[in-house]
């Protein structure tokens, strides 16, 4: 068990951390049992009953089996959280325990006494210059830099102790007894180790206290909502543990860390910290997908009944994703990220981006949120791209990346959302590089609408978009760049789709973005649009792929307000653009059809 809040240095010294890890192993076994039981209920029992019998009694039995399955799911989740918390507690306590034992060893080697309160007794030593008497020993108390033995307002630095009112240049209480400074150092180390251990213990104790089921528990929506809080509590408690293990690492380092875990350790992290593993760049796609599928029903339950701040929109969006995940698809669907922050987060791939040679990552734009239309509209574009690309190379995957807040109409004139989103997009793309199994994968960054500004902003950062070979800009209001050369890919590898009936590609120039920052007053021309130079213009020097005119806008087409702007991925609405996107993503950009720049 974890030490009590009244943790003493003696208890920290004697604490057997192996007992915590042994307890974690016990909960691991319970979690594995619940997982296996749920698999049997869903497959061998409920599944067979559903496919072999069609009667009222059979349907009633399936309903009861579904409740049993949910119970096992709940047990697996909660036991997994307990296991993760215990492992994290044992891991974090090891450092202060080691420092405490080192300090105690130093005290013993010097012959100093350690009192129950952590104070240190030191012997006489040195000579009094005035009397030639031996300087007596004494006792010191450590207090993490604040020296409390009769001088509570004195601080310690590298030069000794000082009064903050006088400053560190006026040291005080520098004892000529050589043992005093050594004793003080040991006392401080003991106090620091004990304080750190108490903080760790309190943090994990609070999280473990959350993991209590009420008597006669019914596993319903409210229960899963509570489980979401449990996941957050354990994740918060283990934040430092996770930071040391994986959070404060590059995507490549995370991939290396993951590769060195055994099967049980991977399962532990996935079930104990699904919200972390599921959204961590550098973790393989299959693990992220598993973790996010674990998290999805919990997040959905936490949003049920909420009414404010777009909660119902995010709920509808997550339910739409859940519905698609329950359906068989070719290529298969992978959930690489979900979250409720901002307007909602979702990263969905069709095809495994780790095993595919060709991978594209599409950033949506204006008005895109995690809402009811997201799964049937925005996610569908990734599916269309993957299906199209696989006609030219079966080893192709396509991703939709909603890892930022795309602006609404009110904020579309601002570059803020693109500036905020670009670093996250680059981190994600860095993760794709790290986890892809091919030595030199072909990676395409796609930006649609305002998403092209986000992609352009990411590409203009130092080093460009990690791993990107091609950049595709669709319905772009500008990228913030004056030429394609600024986007940090090889010449001839920036492609623009700009349908003539797409009003976004004809937006007038923003006067506040022109001038010395982007163009210089003497260089303004007719090719300037909302966010700098029109990517479809001759002077931008990108390749304008054939996109046709696109459907007419508004009432003239009967297809919505801007069908040309939203139709680039759709083979029925814009066959030339959709086919060209597929060819580029599949690594066959040399075979696309083009049209003259503006």
């Amino acid at each position: 068990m974890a030490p009590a809040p009244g943790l003493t240095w003696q208890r920290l010294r004697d604490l057997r951390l192996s007992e915590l890890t042994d307890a974690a192993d016990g909960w691991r076994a319970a979690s594995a049992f619940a997982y296996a039981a749920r698999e049997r209920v869903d497959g061998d029992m409920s599944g067979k009953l559903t496919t072999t019998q069609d009667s009222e009694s059979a349907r009633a039995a399936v309903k009861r089996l579904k409740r049993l399955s949910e119970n096992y799911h709940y047990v697996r989740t909660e036991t997994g959280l307990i296991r993760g918390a215990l492992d994290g507690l044992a891991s974090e306590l090891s450092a202060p325990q080691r420092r405490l034992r080192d300090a105690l060893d130093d005290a013993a080697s010097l012959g100093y006494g350690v009192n129950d309160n952590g104070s240190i007794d030191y012997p006489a030593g040195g000579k009094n210059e005035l009397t030639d008497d031996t300087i007596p020993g004494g006792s010191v108390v450590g207090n993490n830099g604040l020296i409390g033995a009769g001088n509570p307002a004195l601080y310690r630095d590298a030069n000794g102790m000082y009064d903050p009112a006088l400053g560190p240049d006026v040291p005080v209480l520098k004892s000529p007894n050589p043992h005093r400074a050594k004793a003080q150092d040991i006392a401080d180390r003991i106090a620091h180790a004990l304080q750190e251990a108490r903080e760790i213990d309190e943090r994990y104790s609070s999280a473990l206290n959350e993991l209590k089921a009420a008597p006669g528990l019914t596993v319903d929506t409210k229960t899963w909502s509570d489980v979401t809080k449990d996941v957050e509590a354990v994740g918060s408690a283990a934040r430092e543990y996770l930071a040391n293990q994986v959070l404060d690492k590059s995507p490549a380092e995370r991939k290396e860390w993951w590769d060195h875990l055994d099967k049980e350790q991977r399962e532990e992290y996935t079930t104990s910290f699904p919200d972390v593993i599921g959204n961590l760049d550098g973790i393989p796609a299959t693990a992220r997908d598993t973790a996010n599928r674990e998290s999805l029903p919990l997040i959905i339950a936490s949003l049920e009944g909420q009414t404010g701040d777009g909660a119902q929109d995010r709920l509808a969006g997550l339910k739409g994703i859940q519905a698609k995940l329950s359906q068989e698809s070719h290529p298969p669907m992978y959930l690489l990220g979900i979250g409720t922050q901002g307007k909602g987060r979702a990263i969905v791939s069709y095809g495994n981006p780790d095993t595919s040679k060709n991978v594209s990552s599409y950033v949506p734009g204006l008005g895109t949120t995690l809402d009811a239309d997201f799964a049937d509209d925005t996610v569908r574009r990734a599916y269309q791209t993957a299906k199209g690309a696989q006609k030219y190379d079966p080893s192709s995957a396509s991703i939709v990346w909603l890892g930022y807040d795309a602006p609404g109409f009110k904020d579309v004139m601002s570059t803020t959302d693109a500036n905020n989103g670009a670093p996250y997009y680059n981190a994600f793309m860095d993760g794709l590089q790290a986890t892809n199994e091919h030595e030199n994968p072909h990676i395409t960054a796609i930006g649609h609408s305002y998403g092209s500004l986000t992609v352009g902003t990411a590409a203009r950062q130092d080093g460009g978009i990690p791993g990107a070979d091609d950049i595709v800009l669709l319905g772009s209001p500008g990228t913030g760049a004056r030429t394609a050369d600024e986007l940090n890919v090889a010449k001839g590898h920036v492609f623009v789709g700009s349908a003539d009936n797409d009003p976004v590609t004809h937006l007038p120039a923003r006067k506040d973005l022109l001038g010395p920052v982007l163009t210089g007053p003497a260089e303004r021309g007719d090719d300037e649009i909302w966010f700098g130079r029109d990517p479809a213009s001759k002077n931008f020097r990108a390749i304008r792929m054939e996109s046709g005119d696109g459907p007419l806008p508004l009432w003239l087409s009967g297809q919505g307000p801007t069908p040309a702007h939203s139709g680039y991925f759709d083979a029925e609405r814009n066959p030339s653009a959709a086919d060209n996107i597929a060819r580029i993503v599949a690594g066959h950009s040399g075979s696309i059809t083009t049209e003259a720049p503006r």
Side-chain angles (χ1 to χ4, degrees), residues 337-476:
I338 49 172
T340 58
Q341 59 267 46
K343 299 176 183 177
R345 301 286 186 265
I347 307 171
V348 175
S349 179
Y350 281 98
N352 187 331
D354 295 343
T355 59
S356 298
K357 182 180 178 181
N358 308 292
V359 183
S360 69
S361 181
Y362 143 58
V363 182
L366 172 65
T368 305
T369 62
L370 183 58
D371 58 14
D373 295 330
F374 182 79
D376 290 329
D377 185 10
T378 311
V379 170
R380 181 165 54 90
R381 295 172 186 172
Y383 174 77
Q384 291 169 324
T385 300
K387 292 290 286 186
Q390 288 189 356
K391 289 190 302 182
Y392 298 102
D393 188 339
S395 184
S396 299
S398 181
I399 300 166
V400 55
W401 183 85
L402 185 63
Y404 81 125
D405 281 335
F409 286 98
K410 183 177 68 173
D411 303 315
V412 72
M413 65 183 65
S414 170
T415 61
T416 298
D417 289 326
N419 293 336
N420 291 340
Y424 292 103
Y425 182 67
N426 278 346
F428 175 75
M429 298 297 275
D430 198 13
L432 287 183
Q433 267 200 121
T435 58
N436 192 279
E437 297 174 4
H438 294 268
E439 184 176 348
N440 187 27
H442 172 250
I443 296 179
T444 304
I446 303 176
H448 173 241
S449 186
Y450 186 93
S452 67
L453 176 63
T454 305
V455 167
T457 303
R460 289 185 290 113
Q461 293 185 350
D462 289 344
I465 297 171
D469 299 288
D470 294 307
I471 292 177
V472 179
L473 308 169
L474 304 169
S476 177

Side-chain angles (χ1 to χ4, degrees), residues 173-220:
L173 294 180
K174 291 185 106 174
S175 172
N177 185 330
H179 294 290
R180 190 188 193 287
K182 295 177 183 179
Q184 187 66 67
D185 174 67
I186 293 172
D188 288 349
R189 288 157 58 195
I190 291 173
H192 180 270
L194 191 56
Q195 178 180 330
E196 182 182 1
R198 284 171 174 166
E199 185 276 328
I200 292 168
D201 179 60
E202 181 178 353
R203 183 157 33 93
Y204 278 96
S205 294
S206 177
L208 286 167
N209 284 334
E210 294 289 328
L211 307 180
K212 292 181 179 179
L217 175 71
T218 298
V219 180
D220 54 15

